Amino acid sequence: MEIDGVISAIVIGIVIGVLGRLAVPGRQRIGVLWTIAVGILAALLGSAVASAFDVADTDGVDWIEWLIQIGLAAVGVAALDRSRSRPGR
């Protein structure tokens, strides 16, 4: 992967992570770096899922792929927040 691919993956991860975080109601007790990491992972997994369902490359904006990625980011943010907010931690 070239440097521009890495940079674009980080930028897309930031956007997906923030949108996923906004989709989860309430306050999340995770940091910015965790949000970015969840966003990057969700973007990669979401692209794979969209490719598997053959909705990754459409004419215009790939709305279905974005919704899959944001949904995965929301699940990831909620799961990470839940695991970090257990009593006794």
Side-chain angles (χ1 to χ4, degrees):
M1 181 176 269
E2 294 181 23
I3 190 70
D4 60 339
V6 172
I7 292 171
S8 64
I10 291 170
V11 171
I12 291 169
I14 292 169
V15 172
I16 295 295
V18 169
L19 291 174
R21 191 170 178 149
L22 289 174
V24 176
R27 182 178 184 271
Q28 295 83 39
R29 290 169 291 279
I30 63 172
V32 174
L33 293 178
W34 280 111
T35 302
I36 293 170
V38 167
I40 291 170
L41 185 61
L44 294 172
L45 287 174
S47 293
V49 169
S51 293
F53 287 110
D54 200 30
V55 294
D57 293 318
T58 59
D59 293 335
V61 178
D62 297 326
W63 293 108
I64 296 171
E65 183 177 10
W66 272 81
L67 290 174
I68 292 169
Q69 291 170 335
I70 293 167
L72 287 172
V75 168
V77 165
L80 188 59
D81 178 51
R82 183 167 255 208
S83 72
R84 295 177 65 74
S85 64
R86 289 186 196 166
R89 285 196 122 193

